[in-house]
């Protein structure tokens, strides 16, 4: 039985700058899980890209062709392969303060393309987005099949050329509320107990406070008294 061919889901976000090339890029994620690096072919050109890869576990061949809204700088673009997807940072060729109005040349909507809200930052909020460290330590695109023709680009190394970059920082001050929102909720839940303990220490009556708060559960009260003692 032959493998089925699937168009992978693609998510994207962007930054723009009229003066700094490293702040002028497209962030692209191709969701193609369980594809070994030697089964991937990625051809990136100034005007677009072609991607294909076969997952033996899923019995699926992923295939994607994109034609960009404007040209990119191939030599200064970056890529990284994981077990779940292929991550790309594509530097825009033209330095311009305004965002691209869309990723693709044609304005028609395609079902597989979505905005990456975890990475997206509104155009007028870019100054608060930590992008300098993201571009600074990244290596080149070498080492991935289909990328051999990209002259002047070093190998990706053990970490794929991303230099230990924490991609969660890309969320900046916009979108990306998933993990941060969960952490904030946990902190809010714990804060009242911390405030009570601090106040108890200030009054010098922490034993009494702890016992009163846990009086409904004698075992817990004894445990609290022992901890304070």
């Amino acid at each position: 039985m032959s493998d089925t061919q699937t168009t992978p889901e693609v998510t994207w976000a962007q930054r723009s700058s009229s003066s700094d090339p490293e702040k002028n890029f497209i962030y692209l994620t191709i969701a193609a899980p369980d594809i070994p690096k030697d089964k991937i072919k990625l051809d990136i050109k100034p005007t677009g890209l072609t991607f294909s890869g076969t997952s033996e576990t899923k019995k699926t061949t992923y295939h994607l062709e994109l034609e960009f809204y404007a040209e990119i700088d191939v030599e200064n673009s970056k890529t990284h392969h994981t077990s779940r997807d292929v991550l790309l940072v594509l530097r825009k060729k033209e330095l311009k303060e305004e965002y691209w109005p869309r990723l693709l040349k044609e304005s028609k909507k395609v079902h597989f393309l979505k905005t990456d809200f975890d990475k997206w930052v509104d155009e007028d909020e870019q100054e608060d987005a930590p992008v300098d460290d993201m571009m600074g330590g990244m290596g080149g695109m070498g080492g991935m099949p289909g990328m051999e023709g990209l002259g002047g680009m070093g190998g990706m190394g053990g970490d794929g050329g991303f230099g230990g970059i924490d991609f969660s920082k890309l969320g900046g001050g916009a979108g990306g509320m998933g993990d941060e929102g969960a952490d904030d909720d946990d902190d809010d839940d714990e804060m009242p107990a911390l405030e009570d303990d601090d106040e108890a220490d200030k009054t010098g009556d922490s034993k009494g406070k702890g016992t009163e708060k846990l009086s409904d559960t004698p075992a817990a009260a004894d445990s609290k008294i022992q901890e304070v003692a």
Side-chain angles (χ1 to χ4, degrees):
M1 182 177 177
S2 60
D3 293 344
T4 59
Q5 181 166 298
T6 303
T7 301
E9 180 180 276
V10 178
T11 56
W12 79 293
Q14 64 177 314
R15 303 289 188 271
S16 63
S17 174
S18 60
S19 59
D20 188 347
E22 293 189 354
K23 294 182 179 180
N24 191 53
F25 62 89
I26 297 294
Y27 185 87
L28 199 71
T29 302
I30 302 172
D34 298 338
I35 302 179
K37 185 178 292 187
D38 60 358
K39 297 291 185 180
I40 288 179
K41 292 184 179 180
L42 180 62
D43 182 19
I44 301 178
K45 298 179 179 179
T47 57
L49 68 78
T50 301
F51 167 85
S52 63
T54 301
S55 169
E56 295 180 357
T57 59
K58 294 183 177 296
K59 304 298 182 185
T60 298
T61 296
Y62 296 94
H63 182 77
L64 175 72
E65 294 184 25
L66 300 177
E67 187 174 7
F68 300 135
Y69 172 80
E71 290 191 9
I72 64 167
D73 180 354
V74 176
E75 286 193 3
N76 289 295
S77 295
K78 320 291 177 181
T79 189
H80 179 61
H81 171 247
T82 75
S83 61
R84 294 177 299 176
D85 43 38
V86 176
L87 313 174
L88 302 100
V89 178
L90 307 172
R91 186 177 293 184
K92 300 174 185 176
K93 186 173 182 179
E94 181 183 5
L95 287 168
K96 194 174 183 180
E97 194 66 35
E98 293 80 16
Y99 271 2
W100 286 5
R102 57 186 181 272
L103 175 65
L104 303 181
K105 184 175 182 179
E106 293 188 15
S107 59
K108 67 178 182 180
K109 185 177 178 62
V110 290
H111 71 280
F112 61 84
L113 181 62
K114 300 179 181 180
T115 300
D116 190 340
F117 289 106
D118 287 339
K119 310 293 187 295
W120 191 271
V121 174
D122 288 339
E123 187 175 321
D124 58 355
E125 297 179 351
Q126 294 185 80
E127 293 302 319
D128 298 327
V131 297
D132 290 344
D133 60 339
M134 192 200 70
M135 295 296 290
M138 295 171 66
M141 284 208 226
M144 182 173 288
M147 305 300 292
E148 295 83 356
L150 299 174
M153 307 190 75
M156 290 194 296
D159 61 357
F162 277 71
I165 302 301
D166 182 0
F167 284 96
S168 64
K169 293 181 180 179
L170 287 173
M177 292 298 292
D179 293 337
E180 291 185 14
D183 291 342
D184 291 342
D185 291 341
D186 291 342
D187 292 342
D188 291 342
D189 292 340
E190 295 177 2
M191 284 303 292
L194 293 174
E195 290 173 359
D196 289 343
D197 290 344
D198 290 342
E199 184 136 355
D201 291 340
K202 290 180 182 178
T203 59
D205 193 21
S206 58
K207 290 184 179 181
K209 294 280 186 179
T211 305
E212 290 172 7
K213 289 163 63 178
L214 298 171
S215 59
D216 292 337
T217 56
D222 292 340
S223 175
K224 180 66 177 180
I225 293 172
Q226 291 174 5
E227 289 177 7
V228 174

